[in-house]
Tab-separated table of all heavy atoms in Angstrom:
chain	number	residue	atom	x	y	z
A	1	MET	N	-15.657	-34.906	71.585
A	1	MET	CA	-16.341	-34.887	72.848
A	1	MET	C	-15.635	-35.864	73.786
A	1	MET	O	-15.340	-36.987	73.424
A	1	MET	CB	-17.799	-35.282	72.643
A	1	MET	CG	-18.521	-35.282	73.944
A	1	MET	SD	-20.303	-35.593	73.988
A	1	MET	CE	-20.859	-35.905	72.382
A	2	ASP	N	-15.360	-35.416	74.998
A	2	ASP	CA	-14.647	-36.224	75.966
A	2	ASP	C	-15.537	-36.371	77.190
A	2	ASP	O	-15.575	-35.512	78.047
A	2	ASP	CB	-13.326	-35.542	76.311
A	2	ASP	CG	-12.314	-36.503	76.886
A	2	ASP	OD1	-12.395	-37.694	76.562
A	2	ASP	OD2	-11.449	-36.061	77.647
A	3	THR	N	-16.276	-37.458	77.263
A	3	THR	CA	-17.246	-37.648	78.338
A	3	THR	C	-16.821	-38.779	79.257
A	3	THR	O	-16.012	-39.625	78.884
A	3	THR	CB	-18.637	-37.974	77.769
A	3	THR	OG1	-18.536	-39.167	76.989
A	3	THR	CG2	-19.151	-36.851	76.905
A	4	GLU	N	-17.374	-38.782	80.468
A	4	GLU	CA	-17.137	-39.865	81.406
A	4	GLU	C	-18.407	-40.696	81.527
A	4	GLU	O	-19.503	-40.188	81.380
A	4	GLU	CB	-16.762	-39.321	82.783
A	4	GLU	CG	-15.375	-38.731	82.833
A	4	GLU	CD	-14.941	-38.390	84.249
A	4	GLU	OE1	-15.576	-38.891	85.194
A	4	GLU	OE2	-13.983	-37.638	84.390
A	5	ASP	N	-18.250	-41.988	81.774
A	5	ASP	CA	-19.406	-42.842	82.020
A	5	ASP	C	-19.215	-43.528	83.369
A	5	ASP	O	-18.441	-43.058	84.202
A	5	ASP	CB	-19.601	-43.842	80.878
A	5	ASP	CG	-18.399	-44.756	80.692
A	5	ASP	OD1	-17.506	-44.782	81.561
A	5	ASP	OD2	-18.357	-45.460	79.684
A	6	ASN	N	-19.877	-44.643	83.589
A	6	ASN	CA	-19.796	-45.304	84.890
A	6	ASN	C	-18.420	-45.901	85.194
A	6	ASN	O	-18.178	-46.334	86.311
A	6	ASN	CB	-20.892	-46.362	85.035
A	6	ASN	CG	-20.804	-47.437	83.976
A	6	ASN	OD1	-19.961	-47.379	83.086
A	6	ASN	ND2	-21.686	-48.416	84.051
A	7	THR	N	-17.509	-45.926	84.223
A	7	THR	CA	-16.154	-46.410	84.482
A	7	THR	C	-15.311	-45.330	85.144
A	7	THR	O	-14.260	-45.635	85.706
A	7	THR	CB	-15.437	-46.844	83.188
A	7	THR	OG1	-15.248	-45.703	82.358
A	7	THR	CG2	-16.197	-47.931	82.462
A	8	GLY	N	-15.753	-44.076	85.041
A	8	GLY	CA	-14.971	-42.971	85.584
A	8	GLY	C	-13.842	-42.552	84.663
A	8	GLY	O	-13.015	-41.730	85.027
A	9	MET	N	-13.807	-43.135	83.457
A	9	MET	CA	-12.750	-42.819	82.493
A	9	MET	C	-13.319	-41.969	81.368
A	9	MET	O	-14.458	-42.167	80.952
A	9	MET	CB	-12.154	-44.104	81.909
A	9	MET	CG	-11.487	-44.994	82.931
A	9	MET	SD	-11.013	-46.601	82.251
A	9	MET	CE	-9.653	-46.148	81.213
A	10	THR	N	-12.501	-41.056	80.856
A	10	THR	CA	-12.914	-40.266	79.701
A	10	THR	C	-12.752	-41.126	78.446
A	10	THR	O	-12.112	-42.186	78.480
A	10	THR	CB	-12.064	-38.991	79.561
A	10	THR	OG1	-10.708	-39.378	79.299
A	10	THR	CG2	-12.130	-38.119	80.814
A	11	ASP	N	-13.291	-40.660	77.321
A	11	ASP	CA	-13.138	-41.381	76.053
A	11	ASP	C	-11.665	-41.553	75.709
A	11	ASP	O	-11.241	-42.623	75.256
A	11	ASP	CB	-13.856	-40.646	74.922
A	11	ASP	CG	-15.366	-40.668	75.080
A	11	ASP	OD1	-15.883	-41.507	75.847
A	11	ASP	OD2	-16.034	-39.832	74.435
A	12	ASP	N	-10.863	-40.504	75.900
A	12	ASP	CA	-9.429	-40.595	75.605
A	12	ASP	C	-8.730	-41.603	76.511
A	12	ASP	O	-7.855	-42.348	76.065
A	12	ASP	CB	-8.763	-39.222	75.745
A	12	ASP	CG	-9.106	-38.288	74.607
A	12	ASP	OD1	-9.491	-38.774	73.520
A	12	ASP	OD2	-8.987	-37.057	74.795
A	13	GLU	N	-9.100	-41.639	77.782
A	13	GLU	CA	-8.504	-42.604	78.707
A	13	GLU	C	-8.885	-44.036	78.335
A	13	GLU	O	-8.050	-44.943	78.394
A	13	GLU	CB	-8.939	-42.304	80.136
A	13	GLU	CG	-8.329	-41.031	80.699
A	13	GLU	CD	-8.963	-40.598	82.003
A	13	GLU	OE1	-10.147	-40.919	82.252
A	13	GLU	OE2	-8.270	-39.918	82.780
A	14	LYS	N	-10.134	-44.254	77.931
A	14	LYS	CA	-10.567	-45.597	77.522
A	14	LYS	C	-9.832	-46.031	76.256
A	14	LYS	O	-9.428	-47.192	76.134
A	14	LYS	CB	-12.077	-45.623	77.299
A	14	LYS	CG	-12.855	-45.578	78.596
A	14	LYS	CD	-14.331	-45.806	78.398
A	14	LYS	CE	-15.000	-44.550	77.917
A	14	LYS	NZ	-16.452	-44.633	77.827
A	15	ARG	N	-9.643	-45.097	75.298
A	15	ARG	CA	-8.921	-45.412	74.065
A	15	ARG	C	-7.489	-45.827	74.385
A	15	ARG	O	-6.995	-46.843	73.904
A	15	ARG	CB	-8.933	-44.202	73.130
A	15	ARG	CG	-8.172	-44.431	71.845
A	15	ARG	CD	-8.110	-43.143	71.009
A	15	ARG	NE	-7.355	-43.363	69.801
A	15	ARG	CZ	-6.022	-43.345	69.750
A	15	ARG	NH1	-5.314	-43.107	70.817
A	15	ARG	NH2	-5.403	-43.573	68.604
A	16	ARG	N	-6.803	-45.041	75.224
A	16	ARG	CA	-5.435	-45.339	75.594
A	16	ARG	C	-5.353	-46.691	76.312
A	16	ARG	O	-4.501	-47.520	76.021
A	16	ARG	CB	-4.876	-44.249	76.502
A	16	ARG	CG	-3.421	-44.449	76.830
A	16	ARG	CD	-3.040	-43.712	78.122
A	16	ARG	NE	-1.896	-44.324	78.713
A	16	ARG	CZ	-1.902	-45.455	79.417
A	16	ARG	NH1	-3.006	-46.105	79.634
A	16	ARG	NH2	-0.802	-45.957	79.905
A	17	ASP	N	-6.280	-46.933	77.232
A	17	ASP	CA	-6.303	-48.187	77.975
A	17	ASP	C	-6.464	-49.375	77.037
A	17	ASP	O	-5.771	-50.390	77.163
A	17	ASP	CB	-7.431	-48.141	79.000
A	17	ASP	CG	-7.424	-49.341	79.925
A	17	ASP	OD1	-6.388	-49.576	80.577
A	17	ASP	OD2	-8.465	-50.032	79.994
A	18	GLN	N	-7.364	-49.249	76.077
A	18	GLN	CA	-7.607	-50.345	75.139
A	18	GLN	C	-6.398	-50.592	74.245
A	18	GLN	O	-6.017	-51.738	73.995
A	18	GLN	CB	-8.836	-50.046	74.285
A	18	GLN	CG	-9.200	-51.174	73.353
A	18	GLN	CD	-10.455	-50.902	72.565
A	18	GLN	OE1	-10.865	-49.763	72.397
A	18	GLN	NE2	-11.077	-51.936	72.071
A	19	LEU	N	-5.765	-49.529	73.756
A	19	LEU	CA	-4.654	-49.683	72.819
A	19	LEU	C	-3.350	-50.107	73.485
A	19	LEU	O	-2.430	-50.568	72.811
A	19	LEU	CB	-4.444	-48.381	72.036
A	19	LEU	CG	-5.574	-48.040	71.063
A	19	LEU	CD1	-5.377	-46.646	70.496
A	19	LEU	CD2	-5.662	-49.071	69.950
A	20	THR	N	-3.252	-49.967	74.790
A	20	THR	CA	-2.015	-50.365	75.470
A	20	THR	C	-2.187	-51.611	76.326
A	20	THR	O	-1.270	-51.988	77.053
A	20	THR	CB	-1.500	-49.210	76.364
A	20	THR	OG1	-2.503	-48.850	77.306
A	20	THR	CG2	-1.094	-48.010	75.523
A	21	SER	N	-3.325	-52.291	76.216
A	21	SER	CA	-3.563	-53.453	77.074
A	21	SER	C	-3.055	-54.777	76.486
A	21	SER	O	-2.985	-55.769	77.204
A	21	SER	CB	-5.048	-53.581	77.401
A	21	SER	OG	-5.796	-53.813	76.226
A	22	ALA	N	-2.694	-54.813	75.232
A	22	ALA	CA	-2.176	-56.046	74.631
A	22	ALA	C	-0.818	-56.392	75.245
A	22	ALA	O	-0.083	-55.506	75.695
A	22	ALA	CB	-2.042	-55.878	73.120
A	23	PRO	N	-0.449	-57.674	75.263
A	23	PRO	CA	0.800	-58.088	75.914
A	23	PRO	C	2.052	-57.359	75.429
A	23	PRO	O	2.900	-57.013	76.236
A	23	PRO	CB	0.890	-59.583	75.600
A	23	PRO	CG	-0.519	-60.005	75.361
A	23	PRO	CD	-1.207	-58.813	74.754
A	24	ASP	N	2.186	-57.114	74.138
A	24	ASP	CA	3.397	-56.472	73.612
A	24	ASP	C	3.181	-54.996	73.287
A	24	ASP	O	3.999	-54.391	72.580
A	24	ASP	CB	3.880	-57.204	72.359
A	24	ASP	CG	4.373	-58.610	72.671
A	24	ASP	OD1	4.911	-58.820	73.781
A	24	ASP	OD2	4.221	-59.506	71.820
A	25	ALA	N	2.117	-54.408	73.781
A	25	ALA	CA	1.817	-53.007	73.479
A	25	ALA	C	2.811	-52.079	74.159
A	25	ALA	O	3.356	-52.379	75.218
A	25	ALA	CB	0.410	-52.670	73.938
A	26	VAL	N	3.044	-50.957	73.502
A	26	VAL	CA	3.891	-49.896	74.062
A	26	VAL	C	3.072	-48.606	74.102
A	26	VAL	O	2.041	-48.494	73.440
A	26	VAL	CB	5.176	-49.696	73.237
A	26	VAL	CG1	6.084	-50.924	73.336
A	26	VAL	CG2	4.856	-49.397	71.795
A	27	GLU	N	3.519	-47.647	74.867
A	27	GLU	CA	2.778	-46.405	75.054
A	27	GLU	C	2.495	-45.697	73.725
A	27	GLU	O	1.435	-45.113	73.533
A	27	GLU	CB	3.552	-45.469	75.984
A	27	GLU	CG	2.771	-44.295	76.481
A	27	GLU	CD	1.606	-44.669	77.393
A	27	GLU	OE1	1.695	-45.670	78.112
A	27	GLU	OE2	0.595	-43.948	77.363
A	28	SER	N	3.414	-45.781	72.779
A	28	SER	CA	3.226	-45.090	71.492
A	28	SER	C	2.092	-45.691	70.665
A	28	SER	O	1.634	-45.067	69.709
A	28	SER	CB	4.528	-45.082	70.682
A	28	SER	OG	4.904	-46.399	70.341
A	29	ASP	N	1.613	-46.887	71.018
A	29	ASP	CA	0.469	-47.473	70.312
A	29	ASP	C	-0.774	-46.599	70.463
A	29	ASP	O	-1.684	-46.665	69.639
A	29	ASP	CB	0.160	-48.879	70.824
A	29	ASP	CG	1.229	-49.885	70.437
A	29	ASP	OD1	2.011	-49.604	69.509
A	29	ASP	OD2	1.285	-50.953	71.073
A	30	ALA	N	-0.828	-45.803	71.511
A	30	ALA	CA	-1.980	-44.946	71.768
A	30	ALA	C	-1.811	-43.541	71.186
A	30	ALA	O	-2.665	-42.682	71.389
A	30	ALA	CB	-2.240	-44.858	73.266
A	31	ASP	N	-0.737	-43.303	70.442
A	31	ASP	CA	-0.542	-41.987	69.826
A	31	ASP	C	-1.684	-41.674	68.864
A	31	ASP	O	-2.224	-42.589	68.221
A	31	ASP	CB	0.785	-41.929	69.052
A	31	ASP	CG	1.995	-41.906	69.972
A	31	ASP	OD1	1.823	-41.701	71.187
A	31	ASP	OD2	3.110	-42.096	69.465
A	32	PRO	N	-2.053	-40.408	68.726
A	32	PRO	CA	-3.135	-40.033	67.803
A	32	PRO	C	-2.799	-40.425	66.365
A	32	PRO	O	-1.641	-40.351	65.941
A	32	PRO	CB	-3.211	-38.516	67.931
A	32	PRO	CG	-2.473	-38.166	69.159
A	32	PRO	CD	-1.486	-39.255	69.404
A	33	ARG	N	-3.806	-40.843	65.629
A	33	ARG	CA	-3.622	-41.238	64.224
A	33	ARG	C	-4.419	-40.364	63.274
A	33	ARG	O	-4.217	-40.429	62.068
A	33	ARG	CB	-4.028	-42.695	64.046
A	33	ARG	CG	-3.154	-43.613	64.869
A	33	ARG	CD	-3.575	-45.042	64.732
A	33	ARG	NE	-2.793	-45.860	65.654
A	33	ARG	CZ	-3.190	-46.985	66.157
A	33	ARG	NH1	-4.362	-47.461	65.828
A	33	ARG	NH2	-2.432	-47.652	66.991
A	34	ILE	N	-5.355	-39.592	63.813
A	34	ILE	CA	-6.187	-38.724	62.984
A	34	ILE	C	-6.293	-37.338	63.607
A	34	ILE	O	-6.053	-37.156	64.800
A	34	ILE	CB	-7.614	-39.287	62.776
A	34	ILE	CG1	-8.333	-39.406	64.125
A	34	ILE	CG2	-7.589	-40.606	62.029
A	34	ILE	CD1	-9.802	-39.748	64.021
A	35	ASP	N	-6.611	-36.357	62.784
A	35	ASP	CA	-6.967	-35.015	63.228
A	35	ASP	C	-8.394	-34.760	62.783
A	35	ASP	O	-8.749	-35.034	61.634
A	35	ASP	CB	-6.056	-33.952	62.593
A	35	ASP	CG	-4.647	-33.976	63.164
A	35	ASP	OD1	-4.505	-34.191	64.382
A	35	ASP	OD2	-3.697	-33.765	62.385
A	36	VAL	N	-9.224	-34.260	63.686
A	36	VAL	CA	-10.618	-33.959	63.378
A	36	VAL	C	-10.818	-32.460	63.522
A	36	VAL	O	-10.454	-31.873	64.543
A	36	VAL	CB	-11.573	-34.711	64.330
A	36	VAL	CG1	-13.023	-34.368	64.001
A	36	VAL	CG2	-11.342	-36.208	64.256
A	37	THR	N	-11.358	-31.831	62.479
A	37	THR	CA	-11.664	-30.407	62.540
A	37	THR	C	-13.135	-30.202	62.228
A	37	THR	O	-13.730	-30.938	61.441
A	37	THR	CB	-10.811	-29.593	61.540
A	37	THR	OG1	-10.983	-30.124	60.231
A	37	THR	CG2	-9.336	-29.642	61.892
A	38	HIS	N	-13.728	-29.219	62.884
A	38	HIS	CA	-15.132	-28.864	62.678
A	38	HIS	C	-15.165	-27.402	62.253
A	38	HIS	O	-14.631	-26.550	62.945
A	38	HIS	CB	-15.933	-29.029	63.978
A	38	HIS	CG	-15.830	-30.387	64.576
A	38	HIS	ND1	-16.597	-31.443	64.156
A	38	HIS	CD2	-15.040	-30.881	65.555
A	38	HIS	CE1	-16.295	-32.510	64.859
A	38	HIS	NE2	-15.342	-32.196	65.716
A	39	ARG	N	-15.810	-27.129	61.101
A	39	ARG	CA	-15.894	-25.750	60.622
A	39	ARG	C	-17.140	-25.594	59.766
A	39	ARG	O	-17.366	-26.372	58.845
A	39	ARG	CB	-14.636	-25.403	59.824
A	39	ARG	CG	-14.554	-23.980	59.401
A	39	ARG	CD	-13.263	-23.640	58.708
A	39	ARG	NE	-12.743	-24.784	57.972
A	39	ARG	CZ	-11.523	-24.910	57.539
A	39	ARG	NH1	-10.662	-23.968	57.755
A	39	ARG	NH2	-11.144	-25.966	56.879
A	40	ASP	N	-17.929	-24.594	60.079
A	40	ASP	CA	-19.128	-24.261	59.302
A	40	ASP	C	-20.035	-25.473	59.066
A	40	ASP	O	-20.511	-25.699	57.957
A	40	ASP	CB	-18.746	-23.633	57.950
A	40	ASP	CG	-17.956	-22.348	58.113
A	40	ASP	OD1	-18.210	-21.623	59.095
A	40	ASP	OD2	-17.083	-22.076	57.274
A	41	GLY	N	-20.233	-26.281	60.093
A	41	GLY	CA	-21.119	-27.432	59.977
A	41	GLY	C	-20.512	-28.616	59.247
A	41	GLY	O	-21.198	-29.586	58.953
A	42	VAL	N	-19.225	-28.556	58.950
A	42	VAL	CA	-18.538	-29.638	58.234
A	42	VAL	C	-17.496	-30.250	59.165
A	42	VAL	O	-16.719	-29.537	59.797
A	42	VAL	CB	-17.849	-29.111	56.957
A	42	VAL	CG1	-17.048	-30.211	56.285
A	42	VAL	CG2	-18.865	-28.521	56.012
A	43	THR	N	-17.495	-31.571	59.248
A	43	THR	CA	-16.486	-32.281	60.028
A	43	THR	C	-15.514	-32.928	59.056
A	43	THR	O	-15.925	-33.629	58.133
A	43	THR	CB	-17.124	-33.361	60.916
A	43	THR	OG1	-18.052	-32.731	61.801
A	43	THR	CG2	-16.076	-34.109	61.715
A	44	ARG	N	-14.228	-32.672	59.265
A	44	ARG	CA	-13.205	-33.235	58.383
A	44	ARG	C	-12.282	-34.112	59.226
A	44	ARG	O	-11.829	-33.704	60.289
A	44	ARG	CB	-12.413	-32.122	57.721
A	44	ARG	CG	-11.383	-32.632	56.749
A	44	ARG	CD	-10.682	-31.472	56.046
A	44	ARG	NE	-9.639	-31.979	55.205
A	44	ARG	CZ	-9.700	-32.045	53.888
A	44	ARG	NH1	-10.767	-31.606	53.267
A	44	ARG	NH2	-8.715	-32.528	53.193
A	45	ILE	N	-12.007	-35.323	58.734
A	45	ILE	CA	-11.125	-36.260	59.409
A	45	ILE	C	-9.945	-36.530	58.490
A	45	ILE	O	-10.117	-36.989	57.365
A	45	ILE	CB	-11.854	-37.577	59.738
A	45	ILE	CG1	-13.053	-37.283	60.636
A	45	ILE	CG2	-10.894	-38.572	60.392
A	45	ILE	CD1	-13.959	-38.461	60.859
A	46	ASN	N	-8.745	-36.235	58.966
A	46	ASN	CA	-7.531	-36.440	58.186
A	46	ASN	C	-6.591	-37.378	58.926
A	46	ASN	O	-6.442	-37.274	60.148
A	46	ASN	CB	-6.793	-35.113	57.964
A	46	ASN	CG	-7.526	-34.204	57.028
A	46	ASN	OD1	-7.976	-34.620	55.982
A	46	ASN	ND2	-7.654	-32.947	57.412
A	47	LEU	N	-5.949	-38.280	58.183
A	47	LEU	CA	-4.901	-39.103	58.772
A	47	LEU	C	-3.701	-38.217	59.041
A	47	LEU	O	-3.326	-37.398	58.209
A	47	LEU	CB	-4.485	-40.221	57.818
A	47	LEU	CG	-5.528	-41.282	57.555
A	47	LEU	CD1	-5.031	-42.239	56.500
A	47	LEU	CD2	-5.867	-42.023	58.814
A	48	ARG	N	-3.111	-38.386	60.202
A	48	ARG	CA	-1.924	-37.594	60.537
A	48	ARG	C	-0.738	-38.085	59.730
A	48	ARG	O	-0.572	-39.283	59.497
A	48	ARG	CB	-1.641	-37.709	62.030
A	48	ARG	CG	-2.710	-37.059	62.885
A	48	ARG	CD	-2.467	-37.327	64.339
A	48	ARG	NE	-1.137	-36.941	64.742
A	48	ARG	CZ	-0.863	-35.873	65.502
A	48	ARG	NH1	-1.834	-35.129	65.960
A	48	ARG	NH2	0.371	-35.584	65.826
A	49	ASP	N	0.110	-37.154	59.287
A	49	ASP	CA	1.300	-37.523	58.526
A	49	ASP	C	2.276	-38.359	59.353
A	49	ASP	O	3.029	-39.151	58.810
A	49	ASP	CB	2.013	-36.272	58.015
A	49	ASP	CG	1.228	-35.543	56.943
A	49	ASP	OD1	0.405	-36.189	56.261
A	49	ASP	OD2	1.427	-34.330	56.788
A	50	ASP	N	2.261	-38.172	60.667
A	50	ASP	CA	3.198	-38.886	61.525
A	50	ASP	C	2.614	-40.172	62.125
A	50	ASP	O	3.236	-40.799	62.972
A	50	ASP	CB	3.690	-37.977	62.653
A	50	ASP	CG	2.555	-37.474	63.545
A	50	ASP	OD1	1.375	-37.677	63.209
A	50	ASP	OD2	2.867	-36.858	64.580
A	51	ALA	N	1.447	-40.600	61.650
A	51	ALA	CA	0.818	-41.821	62.177
A	51	ALA	C	1.599	-43.049	61.731
A	51	ALA	O	1.853	-43.237	60.546
A	51	ALA	CB	-0.626	-41.919	61.705
A	52	ASP	N	1.992	-43.876	62.700
A	52	ASP	CA	2.728	-45.106	62.369
A	52	ASP	C	1.835	-46.139	61.714
A	52	ASP	O	2.282	-46.935	60.899
A	52	ASP	CB	3.334	-45.716	63.633
A	52	ASP	CG	4.516	-44.920	64.148
A	52	ASP	OD1	5.165	-44.233	63.343
A	52	ASP	OD2	4.789	-44.995	65.360
A	53	VAL	N	0.571	-46.154	62.092
A	53	VAL	CA	-0.373	-47.131	61.554
A	53	VAL	C	-1.334	-46.394	60.634
A	53	VAL	O	-1.959	-45.431	61.029
A	53	VAL	CB	-1.158	-47.824	62.691
A	53	VAL	CG1	-2.140	-48.813	62.131
A	53	VAL	CG2	-0.199	-48.492	63.659
A	54	ARG	N	-1.410	-46.839	59.387
A	54	ARG	CA	-2.255	-46.191	58.398
A	54	ARG	C	-3.088	-47.251	57.682
A	54	ARG	O	-2.653	-48.374	57.524
A	54	ARG	CB	-1.404	-45.420	57.384
A	54	ARG	CG	-0.531	-44.351	58.048
A	54	ARG	CD	0.359	-43.652	57.041
A	54	ARG	NE	-0.393	-42.854	56.114
A	54	ARG	CZ	-0.829	-41.606	56.353
A	54	ARG	NH1	-0.616	-41.042	57.498
A	54	ARG	NH2	-1.479	-40.943	55.422
A	55	PRO	N	-4.281	-46.907	57.240
A	55	PRO	CA	-5.115	-47.890	56.532
A	55	PRO	C	-4.541	-48.206	55.156
A	55	PRO	O	-3.782	-47.427	54.584
A	55	PRO	CB	-6.471	-47.200	56.424
A	55	PRO	CG	-6.169	-45.755	56.493
A	55	PRO	CD	-4.944	-45.618	57.360
A	56	GLY	N	-4.909	-49.355	54.641
A	56	GLY	CA	-4.497	-49.733	53.292
A	56	GLY	C	-3.424	-50.810	53.304
A	56	GLY	O	-2.920	-51.218	54.341
A	57	ASP	N	-3.079	-51.258	52.128
A	57	ASP	CA	-2.083	-52.314	51.945
A	57	ASP	C	-0.700	-51.666	51.852
A	57	ASP	O	-0.411	-50.962	50.882
A	57	ASP	CB	-2.407	-53.098	50.678
A	57	ASP	CG	-1.489	-54.292	50.483
A	57	ASP	OD1	-0.433	-54.376	51.133
A	57	ASP	OD2	-1.845	-55.159	49.657
A	58	PRO	N	0.184	-51.908	52.825
A	58	PRO	CA	1.498	-51.270	52.792
A	58	PRO	C	2.422	-51.764	51.693
A	58	PRO	O	3.442	-51.148	51.421
A	58	PRO	CB	2.087	-51.608	54.176
A	58	PRO	CG	1.382	-52.841	54.579
A	58	PRO	CD	0.018	-52.775	53.976
A	59	THR	N	2.042	-52.845	51.006
A	59	THR	CA	2.889	-53.369	49.935
A	59	THR	C	2.537	-52.772	48.585
A	59	THR	O	3.238	-53.022	47.608
A	59	THR	CB	2.764	-54.904	49.855
A	59	THR	OG1	1.421	-55.249	49.518
A	59	THR	CG2	3.151	-55.545	51.176
A	60	LYS	N	1.437	-51.990	48.497
A	60	LYS	CA	1.022	-51.416	47.229
A	60	LYS	C	1.207	-49.914	47.221
A	60	LYS	O	1.025	-49.243	48.223
A	60	LYS	CB	-0.452	-51.743	46.966
A	60	LYS	CG	-0.712	-53.210	46.746
A	60	LYS	CD	-2.154	-53.448	46.381
A	60	LYS	CE	-2.383	-54.930	46.123
A	60	LYS	NZ	-3.779	-55.210	45.839
A	61	ASP	N	1.559	-49.391	46.060
A	61	ASP	CA	1.707	-47.954	45.873
A	61	ASP	C	0.311	-47.320	45.832
A	61	ASP	O	-0.509	-47.708	45.014
A	61	ASP	CB	2.455	-47.684	44.557
A	61	ASP	CG	2.707	-46.214	44.326
A	61	ASP	OD1	2.361	-45.378	45.195
A	61	ASP	OD2	3.281	-45.887	43.264
A	62	PRO	N	0.023	-46.342	46.706
A	62	PRO	CA	-1.323	-45.756	46.733
A	62	PRO	C	-1.685	-45.016	45.459
A	62	PRO	O	-2.853	-44.788	45.176
A	62	PRO	CB	-1.290	-44.811	47.927
A	62	PRO	CG	0.147	-44.562	48.201
A	62	PRO	CD	0.896	-45.760	47.694
A	63	GLU	N	-0.710	-44.646	44.649
A	63	GLU	CA	-0.967	-43.915	43.403
A	63	GLU	C	-1.307	-44.849	42.252
A	63	GLU	O	-1.750	-44.414	41.217
A	63	GLU	CB	0.261	-43.062	43.037
A	63	GLU	CG	0.636	-42.043	44.087
A	63	GLU	CD	-0.485	-41.035	44.336
A	63	GLU	OE1	-1.150	-40.613	43.378
A	63	GLU	OE2	-0.687	-40.681	45.511
A	64	ALA	N	-1.068	-46.160	42.431
A	64	ALA	CA	-1.286	-47.118	41.333
A	64	ALA	C	-2.728	-47.449	41.142
A	64	ALA	O	-3.544	-47.351	41.954
A	64	ALA	CB	-0.490	-48.388	41.577
């Protein structure tokens, strides 16, 4: 859902603004990191394969 509030910004615009406002931020910091699909009353959230930032400890093997 992409709604506007009293800021006049959509949810996507607010997300981009927040993620690029840090001093050393670059435009790619606001790139999508998840895909959300809705089907038959089920919402599925998947991490994108091309996401630079992923949850978890990057020093550990996720299969271990």
